[in-house]
Amino acid sequence: MRPDGPARPSTRSTGSLLVDNIGELVTNTPDGAGGQLSLRRNAALLVEDGEVAWIGPARYAPAADRRIDAEGGAVLPGFVDSHAHLVFAGDRAAEFAARMAGEPYTGGGIRTTVGATRAASDDELRATVRRLRDEAMRQGTTTIEIKSGYGLTVADEARSLRIAAEFTEDTTFLGAHVVPAEYADRPDDYVGLVCGPMLAAAAPHARWIDVFCERGAFDVDHARAILACGQAVGLGVRVHANQLGPGPGVQLGVELGAASVDHCTHLTDADIDALASHRVGCMCPEGLHTTTVATLLPGAEFSTRSPYPDARRLLDAGVTVALATDCNPGSSYTSSMPFCIALAVREMRMTPAEAVWAATAGGAAALRRTDVGRLARGARADLMILDAPSHLHLAYRPGVPLIRQVLHNGVPQCRP
């Protein structure tokens, strides 16, 4: 179920707004499967009531109440970050430094953040979410999924999701992040808590349920039980899968019809075959609702010095791929989708077009949404204007702040 009345970073625009003098317009329609971008040159775009109302050649642009001159820059759909952990407190910079000095990543630092999050006030948690959401918006992200998972008590998971729902429609209950210290010797009891009182308190504020199905976290039987309980109360399924090594998470996700399996760092041929049988073939509700997307999180591999996922292998098999930041204080403390695009191109053998598609339409597919991740008549007017003539520059000029302007619901946001 969707949270009731989620607040957005902007209100819907009123009147009409023309964005013209666009050098390259990325629309992602009608069919972007496999990372094929739909491009228009010398285009214009009209926004009315927060939605795209018209797209066409600039010379035929209609009159509008207001105008934004793209100055020959590229215009793209806003990024859709479909995997982020923004509700937390504390800092794990020392853990990052230790990894850079050679210590392996095991996921154990999550419990450090749990302690800090439990001790934080609602206002402190809310301020962190707002800061990171705004930081992401300045870098072109107009849709972001936010998970719980750093409270791991009934009250703390529920409040994490209540706070997340103030900032996004896509909130995810991740009570099964790790087994907290107080249940270390009683994992079955903790699974019972997650499936019972915790789920009951969390579900009214969540759209999705997620499980970290990994060694040191939750085995396949516990993960299946938790996800099935979430499905029974109307939550969609997502799975943290195959990050630290080969495992059953990807195939469990496909079995349960998960919208997305995330990380996908260590995959077998059977995992890829399972994902390829659940690919999307078109930008349409029917396709999106039968897809299990492989969401890749290269910021985590960068921050943990782990092997990167082989995106080329997935794409060549016909798997639908999304890119997301995995923004969290331990293993991927970045909110930058452009950074993830650059990593995907350099380290994961994606083309720039494939990476941009995965960061926009791919993220929308991972959230089973058709209103974002593309620019077409009736879609939400979420877009960015680059200080560059082409989407290629997002990977070509890594680390350079190329986002000149962002519109969310048709409303211009603060400039970077």
PDB file of all heavy atoms in Angstrom, residues 92-106:
ATOM      1  N   ARG A  92      30.161   6.834   9.780  1.00  0.00           N
ATOM      2  CA  ARG A  92      31.047   5.657   9.744  1.00  0.00           C
ATOM      3  C   ARG A  92      32.268   5.907   8.863  1.00  0.00           C
ATOM      4  O   ARG A  92      32.752   5.029   8.151  1.00  0.00           O
ATOM      5  CB  ARG A  92      30.246   4.437   9.271  1.00  0.00           C
ATOM      6  CG  ARG A  92      29.329   3.894  10.359  1.00  0.00           C
ATOM      7  CD  ARG A  92      28.188   3.067   9.836  1.00  0.00           C
ATOM      8  NE  ARG A  92      28.610   1.869   9.137  1.00  0.00           N
ATOM      9  CZ  ARG A  92      27.771   1.050   8.476  1.00  0.00           C
ATOM     10  NH1 ARG A  92      26.479   1.314   8.465  1.00  0.00           N
ATOM     11  NH2 ARG A  92      28.225  -0.007   7.849  1.00  0.00           N
ATOM     12  N   ALA A  93      32.767   7.136   8.931  1.00  0.00           N
ATOM     13  CA  ALA A  93      33.942   7.486   8.139  1.00  0.00           C
ATOM     14  C   ALA A  93      35.158   6.655   8.540  1.00  0.00           C
ATOM     15  O   ALA A  93      35.977   6.272   7.684  1.00  0.00           O
ATOM     16  CB  ALA A  93      34.250   8.974   8.288  1.00  0.00           C
ATOM     17  N   ALA A  94      35.286   6.346   9.848  1.00  0.00           N
ATOM     18  CA  ALA A  94      36.429   5.552  10.295  1.00  0.00           C
ATOM     19  C   ALA A  94      36.378   4.148   9.701  1.00  0.00           C
ATOM     20  O   ALA A  94      37.417   3.566   9.361  1.00  0.00           O
ATOM     21  CB  ALA A  94      36.460   5.490  11.822  1.00  0.00           C
ATOM     22  N   GLU A  95      35.156   3.601   9.569  1.00  0.00           N
ATOM     23  CA  GLU A  95      35.001   2.284   8.940  1.00  0.00           C
ATOM     24  C   GLU A  95      35.445   2.330   7.480  1.00  0.00           C
ATOM     25  O   GLU A  95      36.113   1.410   6.986  1.00  0.00           O
ATOM     26  CB  GLU A  95      33.538   1.852   9.040  1.00  0.00           C
ATOM     27  CG  GLU A  95      33.220   0.530   8.386  1.00  0.00           C
ATOM     28  CD  GLU A  95      31.725   0.255   8.369  1.00  0.00           C
ATOM     29  OE1 GLU A  95      31.039   0.553   9.364  1.00  0.00           O
ATOM     30  OE2 GLU A  95      31.245  -0.243   7.328  1.00  0.00           O
ATOM     31  N   PHE A  96      35.089   3.409   6.783  1.00  0.00           N
ATOM     32  CA  PHE A  96      35.518   3.576   5.397  1.00  0.00           C
ATOM     33  C   PHE A  96      37.041   3.624   5.313  1.00  0.00           C
ATOM     34  O   PHE A  96      37.657   2.966   4.465  1.00  0.00           O
ATOM     35  CB  PHE A  96      34.915   4.855   4.816  1.00  0.00           C
ATOM     36  CG  PHE A  96      35.444   5.223   3.461  1.00  0.00           C
ATOM     37  CD1 PHE A  96      34.969   4.588   2.321  1.00  0.00           C
ATOM     38  CD2 PHE A  96      36.427   6.199   3.322  1.00  0.00           C
ATOM     39  CE1 PHE A  96      35.463   4.922   1.064  1.00  0.00           C
ATOM     40  CE2 PHE A  96      36.924   6.536   2.077  1.00  0.00           C
ATOM     41  CZ  PHE A  96      36.441   5.895   0.935  1.00  0.00           C
ATOM     42  N   ALA A  97      37.655   4.394   6.202  1.00  0.00           N
ATOM     43  CA  ALA A  97      39.114   4.505   6.200  1.00  0.00           C
ATOM     44  C   ALA A  97      39.763   3.145   6.440  1.00  0.00           C
ATOM     45  O   ALA A  97      40.775   2.808   5.819  1.00  0.00           O
ATOM     46  CB  ALA A  97      39.569   5.516   7.253  1.00  0.00           C
ATOM     47  N   ALA A  98      39.171   2.347   7.334  1.00  0.00           N
ATOM     48  CA  ALA A  98      39.715   1.023   7.609  1.00  0.00           C
ATOM     49  C   ALA A  98      39.626   0.123   6.380  1.00  0.00           C
ATOM     50  O   ALA A  98      40.553  -0.641   6.079  1.00  0.00           O
ATOM     51  CB  ALA A  98      38.977   0.390   8.791  1.00  0.00           C
ATOM     52  N   ARG A  99      38.523   0.219   5.657  1.00  0.00           N
ATOM     53  CA  ARG A  99      38.405  -0.587   4.425  1.00  0.00           C
ATOM     54  C   ARG A  99      39.444  -0.161   3.403  1.00  0.00           C
ATOM     55  O   ARG A  99      40.038  -0.984   2.713  1.00  0.00           O
ATOM     56  CB  ARG A  99      37.001  -0.451   3.839  1.00  0.00           C
ATOM     57  CG  ARG A  99      35.944  -1.218   4.578  1.00  0.00           C
ATOM     58  CD  ARG A  99      34.710  -1.430   3.715  1.00  0.00           C
ATOM     59  NE  ARG A  99      34.144  -0.184   3.212  1.00  0.00           N
ATOM     60  CZ  ARG A  99      33.261   0.548   3.862  1.00  0.00           C
ATOM     61  NH1 ARG A  99      32.848   0.184   5.060  1.00  0.00           N
ATOM     62  NH2 ARG A  99      32.783   1.665   3.326  1.00  0.00           N
ATOM     63  N   MET A 100      39.659   1.133   3.288  1.00  0.00           N
ATOM     64  CA  MET A 100      40.658   1.610   2.335  1.00  0.00           C
ATOM     65  C   MET A 100      42.065   1.179   2.749  1.00  0.00           C
ATOM     66  O   MET A 100      42.979   1.111   1.918  1.00  0.00           O
ATOM     67  CB  MET A 100      40.592   3.138   2.212  1.00  0.00           C
ATOM     68  CG  MET A 100      39.278   3.652   1.634  1.00  0.00           C
ATOM     69  SD  MET A 100      38.838   2.963   0.008  1.00  0.00           S
ATOM     70  CE  MET A 100      37.583   1.725   0.480  1.00  0.00           C
ATOM     71  N   ALA A 101      42.234   0.855   4.036  1.00  0.00           N
ATOM     72  CA  ALA A 101      43.524   0.349   4.519  1.00  0.00           C
ATOM     73  C   ALA A 101      43.624  -1.165   4.404  1.00  0.00           C
ATOM     74  O   ALA A 101      44.639  -1.750   4.797  1.00  0.00           O
ATOM     75  CB  ALA A 101      43.750   0.783   5.963  1.00  0.00           C
ATOM     76  N   GLY A 102      42.565  -1.820   3.918  1.00  0.00           N
ATOM     77  CA  GLY A 102      42.667  -3.246   3.656  1.00  0.00           C
ATOM     78  C   GLY A 102      41.712  -4.142   4.401  1.00  0.00           C
ATOM     79  O   GLY A 102      41.668  -5.347   4.149  1.00  0.00           O
ATOM     80  N   GLU A 103      40.911  -3.603   5.324  1.00  0.00           N
ATOM     81  CA  GLU A 103      39.969  -4.456   6.042  1.00  0.00           C
ATOM     82  C   GLU A 103      38.786  -4.821   5.138  1.00  0.00           C
ATOM     83  O   GLU A 103      38.266  -3.960   4.427  1.00  0.00           O
ATOM     84  CB  GLU A 103      39.459  -3.762   7.312  1.00  0.00           C
ATOM     85  CG  GLU A 103      40.519  -3.607   8.384  1.00  0.00           C
ATOM     86  CD  GLU A 103      39.942  -3.116   9.702  1.00  0.00           C
ATOM     87  OE1 GLU A 103      38.707  -3.168   9.860  1.00  0.00           O
ATOM     88  OE2 GLU A 103      40.734  -2.691  10.556  1.00  0.00           O
ATOM     89  N   PRO A 104      38.329  -6.077   5.153  1.00  0.00           N
ATOM     90  CA  PRO A 104      37.226  -6.480   4.274  1.00  0.00           C
ATOM     91  C   PRO A 104      35.892  -5.950   4.781  1.00  0.00           C
ATOM     92  O   PRO A 104      35.717  -5.691   5.975  1.00  0.00           O
ATOM     93  CB  PRO A 104      37.260  -8.010   4.331  1.00  0.00           C
ATOM     94  CG  PRO A 104      37.861  -8.319   5.674  1.00  0.00           C
ATOM     95  CD  PRO A 104      38.863  -7.221   5.935  1.00  0.00           C
ATOM     96  N   TYR A 105      34.940  -5.816   3.862  1.00  0.00           N
ATOM     97  CA  TYR A 105      33.584  -5.418   4.228  1.00  0.00           C
ATOM     98  C   TYR A 105      32.760  -6.653   4.535  1.00  0.00           C
ATOM     99  O   TYR A 105      32.726  -7.595   3.739  1.00  0.00           O
ATOM    100  CB  TYR A 105      32.916  -4.635   3.098  1.00  0.00           C
ATOM    101  CG  TYR A 105      31.463  -4.294   3.384  1.00  0.00           C
ATOM    102  CD1 TYR A 105      31.149  -3.354   4.351  1.00  0.00           C
ATOM    103  CD2 TYR A 105      30.428  -4.939   2.712  1.00  0.00           C
ATOM    104  CE1 TYR A 105      29.826  -3.035   4.637  1.00  0.00           C
ATOM    105  CE2 TYR A 105      29.101  -4.623   2.986  1.00  0.00           C
ATOM    106  CZ  TYR A 105      28.806  -3.675   3.952  1.00  0.00           C
ATOM    107  OH  TYR A 105      27.504  -3.374   4.231  1.00  0.00           O
ATOM    108  N   THR A 106      32.070  -6.666   5.681  1.00  0.00           N
ATOM    109  CA  THR A 106      31.242  -7.812   6.076  1.00  0.00           C
ATOM    110  C   THR A 106      29.794  -7.435   6.339  1.00  0.00           C
ATOM    111  O   THR A 106      28.950  -8.304   6.534  1.00  0.00           O
ATOM    112  CB  THR A 106      31.802  -8.458   7.356  1.00  0.00           C
ATOM    113  OG1 THR A 106      31.694  -7.511   8.437  1.00  0.00           O
ATOM    114  CG2 THR A 106      33.256  -8.868   7.176  1.00  0.00           C
TER     115      THR A 106
END
